[in-house]
Amino acid sequence: MYIHLKRMLDLILSAVALIALSPVMLVLALVVKLTSPGPVFFRQKRVGLNKSYFMIYKFRTMRTDAPKDQPTHLLKDPAAFITPIGRFLRKYSLDELPQLFNILKGEMAVVGPRPALWNQFDLIAERDRYGANGVRPGLTGWAQINGRDELPIDVKARLDGEYVRRMGFFFDAKCIWGTVFRVVAAEGVVEGEQKHE
């Protein structure tokens, strides 16, 4: 069954990526630490497999006085809280690299629905309609290559459900390839005002 192969591939891919990207991640960690006060990493409660909770890891891209557990697009002036290096990290999704550790721990997959904030009840409910809460959340997913930050909640949940229905080796490979293209092109990112994650 693919779900077991998928987990094995997640372990291999995340371990290889961590080794290969460790110099890059070290440089990014130093830059985050030296350019703004506060910790290097940001931890936040997210919704995982079967609506269990886990703490997601990211490179910190916002000031330490930014409101907690609130999607960036709901902040009154989100751009005011984003650090200078944070804009760059978010534009190219480099802030997400520490989630490779979440994948190793079994809390996430390489491909799957992006993990919702614990209090994004509307998104969680919509995903229930499509069975998208029954798979591990992903570092990237089908919704991310079809709009990223631009998608309304109902469309995002529908695409997450489509991923669950079509999940397989070649579809995962398609999502990964699409992610590389979208990230390099910085497509679908609406900085500050619409960054949901």
Side-chain angles (χ1 to χ4, degrees):
M1 192 174 183
Y2 178 66
I3 198 72
H4 301 298
L5 174 62
K6 179 179 173 70
R7 178 61 191 144
M8 183 174 67
L9 291 173
D10 285 340
L11 284 169
I12 294 170
L13 288 173
S14 58
V16 170
L18 277 169
I19 294 169
L21 295 173
S22 57
V24 175
M25 293 178 68
L26 179 59
V27 169
L28 293 178
L30 287 172
V31 172
V32 170
K33 188 65 178 176
L34 294 174
T35 56
S36 65
V40 169
F41 298 107
F42 172 72
R43 297 171 71 248
Q44 190 176 55
K45 186 177 176 182
R46 294 291 181 112
V47 178
L49 178 65
N50 296 322
K51 294 190 284 189
S52 60
Y53 295 128
F54 72 100
M55 299 302 291
I56 199 171
Y57 306 129
K58 293 188 175 193
F59 283 122
R60 183 176 55 81
T61 61
M62 303 189 79
R63 296 183 346 219
T64 55
D65 61 341
K68 307 297 182 187
D69 293 330
Q70 187 172 355
T72 310
H73 71 293
L74 295 180
L75 297 177
K76 185 176 180 180
D77 185 12
F81 291 104
I82 300 173
T83 64
I85 188 62
R87 285 184 175 84
F88 173 79
L89 295 177
R90 292 158 73 92
K91 181 177 182 180
Y92 293 102
S93 297
L94 295 171
D95 58 321
E96 314 287 358
L97 289 179
Q99 287 159 45
L100 292 167
F101 291 107
N102 290 116
I103 297 171
L104 274 180
K105 291 170 66 178
E107 296 163 336
M108 291 178 62
V110 174
V111 183
R114 282 295 297 162
L117 276 164
W118 68 273
N119 57 0
Q120 284 183 295
F121 304 116
D122 47 357
L123 176 57
I124 296 166
E126 279 293 306
R127 283 177 169 170
D128 267 338
R129 294 178 55 198
Y130 298 102
N133 290 315
V135 297
R136 282 188 180 88
L139 180 63
T140 188
W142 185 232
Q144 275 54 55
I145 65 172
N146 284 283
R148 293 183 74 179
D149 303 332
E150 300 170 335
L151 297 175
I153 283 173
D154 58 333
V155 175
K156 182 181 290 187
R158 179 175 56 78
L159 288 168
D160 290 335
E162 184 180 345
Y163 170 75
V164 173
R165 293 194 308 274
R166 299 176 64 183
M167 185 171 59
F169 178 81
F170 292 107
F171 194 59
D172 276 5
K174 181 177 181 178
C175 290
I176 292 170
W177 174 249
T179 299
V180 172
F181 176 80
R182 297 281 288 189
V183 168
V184 169
E187 291 185 358
V189 177
V190 184
E191 189 52 70
E193 296 179 0
Q194 295 292 328
K195 180 72 174 177
H196 290 246
E197 298 164 355

